[in-house]
Amino acid sequence: MKIKVLTIKEDILGANEKKARSNQDRLDEHGILAVNIMSSPGAGKTSLIWQTLDRLKSESRIAVIEGDVASQVDADKLHQHGVPIIQINIPGGCHLDANMVENALDNLPLKELDLIIIENVGNLVCPAEFDLGEHKRVVLSSMPEGDDKPYKYPLMFTEADVVLVNKLDLLPHLDFNASYFCEGITRLNPTVKILQVSCKTGEGLEQWFSWLLAQMKDGKARQAA
Ligand code: MG
Ligand code: ZN
């Protein structure tokens, strides 16, 4: 299967909400769970998706929507897993919006999917402002970025359903204060789930996989309802 590359202009915020709702209706019709993964560049989104495909693709039907300003480097990497991938390039843009995701959905075999993983553009600011129609928002932060991120980028962490803290394998070399970091998040978002993981060694990822599988079950329930 070839990677499809879409180049789409940004949508305006008001129209975005409407389109996001229609995306979600469409996903629910097919019992598909969609997760929106957001982080700064280099936090490990693609590695997380790589590990997720590796572990879950035998039991779940997964597709990936890749958002990038330019290039299809990440899509090429993930393509090795043989799952459907849509690359969205946004020249001059810095986030995905619902219109772009709608275009991607038009190009995916929705009847044959359980899960769509959306890799948003690496940016801790405006991706949080644009609802894509996803069911769950995942924020990935990495320990080398520092423990102050929740204090500096509150919206991103306020809206998260789960926060993954990546690069746990580097912790011995860093001054990362995990309790300060977690405190910054729970002040904004008391019910959020925070998982410390290493996408390199796989440490902690089992919790992420079981969380994702549980959300997929809910997706099937939504379809049945
Ligand atoms: Mg990436
Ligand atoms: Zn933006």
Side-chain angles (χ1 to χ4, degrees):
M1 205 179 319
K2 277 187 70 188
I3 300 172
K4 262 187 198 139
V5 180
L6 310 176
T7 305
I8 307 162
K9 279 217 185 122
E10 284 186 44
D11 204 356
I12 49 164
L13 200 51
N16 189 72
E17 292 305 306
K18 222 172 138 190
K19 198 143 272 185
R21 240 169 295 144
S22 102
N23 286 346
Q24 192 166 100
D25 288 347
R26 204 164 156 197
L27 292 161
D28 289 344
E29 226 171 87
H30 292 92
I32 301 171
L33 174 79
V35 295
N36 178 7
I37 302 185
M38 296 177 283
S39 81
S40 55
K45 292 184 297 304
T46 309
S47 305
L48 176 68
I49 297 171
W50 176 275
Q51 293 278 13
T52 306
L53 293 174
D54 206 43
R55 166 68 174 74
L56 296 183
K57 74 174 181 193
S58 59
E59 58 186 286
S60 307
R61 300 166 302 169
I62 309 174
V64 178
I65 299 174
E66 269 291 330
D68 283 292
V69 175
S71 92
Q72 60 177 72
V73 175
D74 291 348
D76 285 342
K77 213 178 288 168
L78 296 172
H79 193 230
Q80 296 171 42
H81 275 295
V83 303
I85 298 180
I86 303 289
Q87 173 73 55
I88 298 177
N89 283 139
I90 319 148
C94 45
H95 58 265
L96 288 174
D97 68 27
N99 184 48
M100 299 171 192
V101 170
E102 181 186 54
N103 275 271
L105 296 181
D106 289 342
N107 286 280
L108 282 170
L110 300 183
K111 288 200 180 92
E112 296 156 28
L113 294 176
D114 304 309
L115 170 66
I116 296 179
I117 302 174
I118 304 169
E119 180 174 345
N120 217 312
V121 180
N123 172 355
L124 281 179
V125 187
C126 48
E129 293 168 28
F130 287 82
D131 191 351
L132 307 178
E134 77 274 23
H135 299 94
K136 297 290 168 186
R137 291 185 161 201
V138 180
V139 174
L140 182 67
S141 203
S142 71
M143 291 182 178
E145 292 172 72
D147 48 26
D148 56 1
K149 288 294 162 294
Y151 301 90
K152 290 187 170 174
Y153 302 97
L155 182 62
M156 186 61 77
F157 290 90
T158 305
E159 307 255 304
D161 293 292
V162 54
V163 175
L164 299 179
V165 200
N166 190 23
K167 306 193 187 178
L168 181 56
D169 49 296
L170 295 178
L171 185 57
H173 309 284
L174 304 168
D175 294 320
F176 182 88
N177 182 334
S179 53
Y180 177 70
F181 177 86
C182 293
E183 200 184 291
I185 299 171
T186 45
R187 279 163 58 165
L188 302 163
N189 188 345
T191 58
V192 72
K193 201 174 177 70
I194 305 172
L195 305 174
Q196 298 192 12
V197 303
S198 166
C199 293
K200 188 173 174 155
T201 65
E203 192 178 352
L205 284 176
E206 276 309 318
Q207 306 167 78
W208 156 248
F209 300 140
S210 37
W211 179 85
L212 205 48
L213 286 167
Q215 308 308 315
M216 272 190 256
K217 256 188 215 149
D218 291 352
K220 296 295 168 203
R222 274 192 299 272
Q223 183 185 30

